[in-house]
């Protein structure tokens, strides 16, 4: 038995792309007026692809072109500080006015990104680093359409955790100086569960029964019905309540028939209803 | 006690000249053609603090024969590796060049270059590769008949950092045009579908 049917929102991919977006337009300026775009790559790629893309004819003259930056999603972990109610839900409108999309609140996760800056010249590296650090105080917010299906647009904080200079300039002459900076970031993300269609309660019946000797009689004594008019109205449309009260004790002595509409749930006296995260109703 | 005055094996100009001639002849017969590319200073000040000059250029070459010391095993070093920054080819090579030939060819053209210099480049047309000189060993072999006849040059594949390349050698000058891997454009295109970008406020900071 699987925990769920297939669903995939591509949220983590969005986070990776969002993170990359912050650094994909970096340039360095040389004294001779040359402006150099700094290439950025996601580090984890198929090795055969790298070989074929960068050295297709096996005639690559140079070792590597610098400066460049590489980043990778290295880890992610649950963030207990941002925990939300486990049974909390939120909904979104659908084309069908009788239904709404519904999903449980997301699970908060921290995503750890490593960004590495590799240059030949220290000056080039410093230009890149100084263009990054001032924006993180220590966090930087990016607004993204996190979950298009549910219309979730959210500010994503990205926190700069550490900057480490890794300049290898000692040792034998046969090894060139390597100028590298490693930056670690935490992206405060959310992971969303499956989206489900849920019917909207637009009509409520409240049936009253009479009890005798501690047991309820089968016939319905009185009924209160309230419904939305028109039934197809959406929240932003113009609509009104339509109420009806029927009693079997009036002059006609009518028999109240059972409810024929689809019953989403039937509640009884003594039941407790969870209406929202902060509200419960007990039926008397 | 001093060495014998009758056997002057470390101070014999005729034998030194013979070894030098044999060295030149050997490299001439069995060596390979290389191009020596001097690193030219830019018109901008050298950065004394970081000891670098990012605006260096390579604009000329001198052809000279050298002895490749990697003929048996191929290039040394790590070879082709995948790093955090995509493909990196860390080939290393060693070459020997006759000291007297170096003077004849290179010092004659560039009087201030009296020996192979660290930082200068060697283009190796046979393998279509460009090496940067990391270190020049001047005492191996150790003073044959009292004199050193070759420079042993330790090189590593060139890490190009946007130096101007206008040498006239195709393999070198086309380095900037070779396939380079980067995700910048693709990342931007994909993020445009869900990141809230506006020109004046690209990341919704309300600052710019």
């Amino acid at each position: 038995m699987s925990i769920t049917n297939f669903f995939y929102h591509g949220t983590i991919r969005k986070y990776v792309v969002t993170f990359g977006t912050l650094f994909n337009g970096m340039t360095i300026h040389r004294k001779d007026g040359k402006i150099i775009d700094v290439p950025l790559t996601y580090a984890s790629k198929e090795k055969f692809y790298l070989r074929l893309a960068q050295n297709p004819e096996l005639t690559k003259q140079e070792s590597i072109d610098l400066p460049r930056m590489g980043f990778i999603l290295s880890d992610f972990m649950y963030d207990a500080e941002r925990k939300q109610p486990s049974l909390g839900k939120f909904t979104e409108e659908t084309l069908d006015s009788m239904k709404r999309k519904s999903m449980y609140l997301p699970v908060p996760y921290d995503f750890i990104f490593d960004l590495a800056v590799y240059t030949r010249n220290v000056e080039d590296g410093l230009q890149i680093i100084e263009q990054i650090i001032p924006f993180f105080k220590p966090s930087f917010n990016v607004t993204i359409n996190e979950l298009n299906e549910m219309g979730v647009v959210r500010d994503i904080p990205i926190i700069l955790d550490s900057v480490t200079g890794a300049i290898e300039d000692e040792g034998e002459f046969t090894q060139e100086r390597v100028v590298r900076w490693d930056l670690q970031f935490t992206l405060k993300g959310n992971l969303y569960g499956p989206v489900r269609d849920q019917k909207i309660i637009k009509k409520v019946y409240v049936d009253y029964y009479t009890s005798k000797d501690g047991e309820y009689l089968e016939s319905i004594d009185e009924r209160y019905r309230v419904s939305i008019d028109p039934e197809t109205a959406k929240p932003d449309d113009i609509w009104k309540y339509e109420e009806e009260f029927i009693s079997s004790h009036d002059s006609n002595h009518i028999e109240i028939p059972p409810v024929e509409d689809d019953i989403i749930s039937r509640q009884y006296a003594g039941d407790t209803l969870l209406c929202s995260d902060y509200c419960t109703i007990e039926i008397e | 006690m001093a060495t014998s005055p009758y056997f002057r094996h470390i101070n014999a100009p005729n034998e030194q000249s013979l070894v030098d001639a044999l060295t030149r002849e050997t490299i001439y017969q069995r060596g390979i053609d290389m191009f020596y590319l001097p690193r030219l200073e830019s018109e901008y000040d050298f950065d004394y603090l970081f000891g670098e000059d990012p605006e260096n250029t390579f604009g000329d070459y001198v052809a000279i024969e050298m002895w490749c010391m990697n003929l048996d095993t191929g290039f040394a070093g790590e070879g082709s590796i995948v790093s955090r920054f995509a493909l990196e080819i860390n080939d290393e090579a060693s070459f020997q060049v006759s000291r007297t030939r170096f003077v004849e060819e290179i010092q004659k053209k560039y009087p201030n270059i009296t020996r192979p210099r660290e930082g200068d480049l060697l283009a190796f047309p046979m393998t279509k590769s460009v090496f940067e000189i990391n270190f020049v060993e001047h005492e191996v072999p150790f003073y044959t008949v009292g004199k050193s006849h070759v420079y042993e040059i330790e090189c590593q594949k060139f890490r190009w950092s946007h130096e101007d390349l206008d040498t006239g050698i195709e393999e070198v000058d086309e380095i900037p045009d070779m396939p380079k891997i980067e995700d910048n454009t693709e990342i931007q295109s994909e993020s445009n579908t869900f990141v809230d970008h506006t020109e004046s406020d690209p990341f919704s900071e309300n600052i710019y």
Side-chain angles (χ1 to χ4, degrees):
Chain A
M1 187 191 77
S2 169
I3 193 170
T4 182
N5 293 324
F6 174 79
F7 72 96
Y8 178 60
H9 303 303
T11 312
I12 298 176
R13 183 184 175 93
K14 281 185 179 177
Y15 291 150
V16 173
V17 172
T18 300
F19 183 81
T21 307
L22 299 184
F23 310 107
N24 75 340
M26 307 286 292
T27 58
I28 61 173
H29 292 224
R30 291 269 171 85
K31 291 175 190 166
D32 56 6
K34 195 183 291 178
I35 299 174
I36 299 166
D37 295 326
V38 182
L40 174 73
T41 50
Y42 188 70
S44 179
K45 287 183 167 37
E46 280 273 24
K47 290 183 179 177
F48 76 84
Y49 166 72
L50 291 174
R51 175 90 162 154
L52 295 177
Q54 289 189 272
N55 199 8
E57 304 297 329
L58 304 178
T59 55
K60 186 174 170 62
Q61 302 98 323
E62 82 282 21
S63 166
I64 191 171
D65 56 297
L66 299 175
R68 37 178 59 247
M69 294 194 292
F71 72 103
I72 192 166
L73 172 60
S74 59
D75 200 4
F76 41 104
M77 64 199 75
Y78 183 70
D79 182 7
E81 289 184 358
R82 291 186 289 134
K83 178 177 168 44
Q84 298 181 87
S86 300
L87 297 177
K89 281 185 173 182
F90 65 103
T91 64
E92 174 67 14
E93 196 173 304
T94 65
L95 292 175
D96 183 349
S97 64
M98 301 303 286
K99 292 179 179 175
R100 282 182 78 82
K101 286 182 286 190
S102 160
M103 79 185 314
Y104 286 104
L105 293 172
V107 183
Y109 260 76
D110 286 350
F111 296 86
I112 309 299
F113 284 91
D114 292 331
L115 174 73
V117 179
Y118 185 15
T119 64
R120 175 166 183 137
N121 304 299
V122 175
E123 183 66 27
D124 292 349
L126 294 180
Q127 284 195 28
I128 294 172
I129 294 297
E130 283 200 26
Q131 290 180 74
I132 294 174
I133 292 177
F135 286 92
F136 295 88
K137 303 171 183 175
S139 68
F140 182 83
N141 290 343
V142 185
T143 308
I144 73 167
N145 190 344
E146 198 170 48
L147 190 63
N148 200 34
E149 193 175 359
M150 296 296 287
V152 179
V153 178
R154 206 169 67 88
D155 283 351
I156 308 289
I158 300 174
I159 301 163
L160 175 59
D161 297 321
S162 66
V163 182
T164 309
I167 301 177
E168 299 172 18
D169 53 5
E170 297 179 350
E172 298 178 357
F173 267 102
T174 50
Q175 298 301 315
E176 293 177 333
R177 181 179 72 171
V178 174
V179 180
R180 183 174 157 165
W181 302 84
D182 292 318
L183 295 84
Q184 191 174 76
F185 297 85
T186 300
L187 184 150
K188 297 283 186 184
N190 285 325
L191 291 178
Y192 295 86
V195 179
R196 296 200 169 88
D197 284 343
Q198 205 164 44
K199 289 183 178 176
I200 302 172
I201 299 172
K202 291 192 171 180
K203 194 183 289 182
V204 174
Y205 294 88
V206 181
D207 290 343
Y208 297 91
Y209 293 82
T210 304
S211 63
K212 186 178 182 183
D213 300 331
E215 291 189 5
Y216 289 105
L217 300 178
E218 287 189 6
S219 60
I220 300 168
D221 210 22
E222 291 178 337
R223 167 172 290 166
Y224 169 73
R225 182 178 67 83
V226 61
S227 59
I228 302 294
D229 182 28
E231 194 177 36
T232 56
K234 293 184 175 182
D236 295 334
D237 296 343
I238 298 173
W239 51 272
K240 61 181 181 180
Y241 290 116
E242 190 176 78
E243 293 178 297
E244 184 183 27
F245 189 83
I246 311 169
S247 173
S248 61
H249 303 297
D250 64 9
S251 56
N252 296 326
H253 292 283
I254 59 167
E255 185 176 338
I256 301 173
V259 174
E260 293 177 353
D261 289 300
D262 290 340
I263 302 295
I264 296 172
S265 65
R266 192 184 293 275
Q267 310 294 333
Y268 296 97
D271 287 352
T272 301
L273 293 177
L274 180 67
C275 299
S276 70
D277 302 335
Y278 311 103
C279 164
T280 56
I281 298 174
E282 187 171 344
I283 302 172
E284 293 182 347
Chain B
M1 187 176 74
T3 57
S4 169
Y6 305 108
F7 299 94
R8 307 303 296 174
H9 64 282
I10 58 169
N11 188 18
N14 289 344
E15 290 185 12
Q16 288 173 353
S17 178
L18 174 63
V19 172
D20 180 55
L22 289 172
T23 302
R24 292 165 58 117
E25 184 67 11
T26 304
I27 296 175
Y28 180 67
Q29 295 280 346
R30 303 292 293 173
I32 50 174
D33 290 328
M34 300 286 289
F35 296 115
Y36 187 91
L37 290 76
R39 183 182 288 269
L40 305 176
E41 290 179 9
S42 68
E43 59 186 276
Y44 306 94
D45 291 339
F46 179 79
D47 188 335
Y48 76 95
L49 191 62
F50 300 132
E52 61 193 22
D53 188 354
E55 288 81 18
N56 276 158
T57 60
F58 295 93
D60 194 10
Y61 72 92
V62 181
I64 189 169
E65 70 281 2
M66 292 187 184
W67 178 263
C68 179
M69 302 179 71
N70 302 88
L71 291 178
D72 293 340
T73 56
F75 293 132
E78 295 175 308
S80 298
I81 60 168
V82 175
S83 69
R84 182 63 51 90
F85 310 95
L87 182 67
E88 201 167 342
I89 302 177
N90 290 334
D91 286 341
E92 295 175 8
S94 301
F95 301 95
Q96 283 185 340
V97 61
S98 161
R99 286 183 174 229
T100 51
R101 285 288 297 140
F102 189 87
V103 171
E104 287 174 11
E105 295 294 335
I106 295 165
Q107 192 174 352
K108 184 178 153 190
K109 188 168 184 179
Y110 295 97
N112 62 328
I113 303 179
T114 58
R115 66 172 184 87
R117 297 186 309 187
E118 289 81 2
D120 289 349
L121 302 184
L122 292 177
F124 192 172
M126 188 172 76
T127 61
K128 295 184 182 299
S129 47
V130 180
F131 288 90
E132 180 173 340
I133 300 173
N134 279 349
F135 183 63
V136 177
E137 174 61 65
H138 63 288
E139 292 182 321
V140 174
F142 190 73
Y143 297 95
T144 311
V145 291
K147 188 176 181 183
S148 190
H149 300 279
V150 295
Y151 292 113
E152 189 169 312
I153 302 171
E154 304 287 345
C155 307
Q156 193 171 7
K157 216 116 189 240
F158 180 42
R159 291 182 303 151
W160 177 63
S161 183
H162 292 263
E163 293 90 346
D164 280 338
L165 302 171
D166 187 18
T167 62
I169 302 172
E170 187 181 346
E171 287 84 0
V172 177
D173 294 348
E174 68 181 12
I175 284 178
D177 303 322
M178 292 299 286
K180 305 279 190 291
I181 193 160
E182 60 176 45
D183 298 335
N184 300 49
T185 309
E186 288 78 6
I187 285 175
Q188 188 62 58
S189 300
E190 186 167 345
S191 74
N192 283 342
T193 62
F194 60 87
V195 176
D196 182 14
H197 282 296
T198 53
E199 193 171 337
S200 58
D201 187 15
F203 297 117
S204 306
E205 295 177 281
N206 293 319
I207 296 174
Y208 301 105

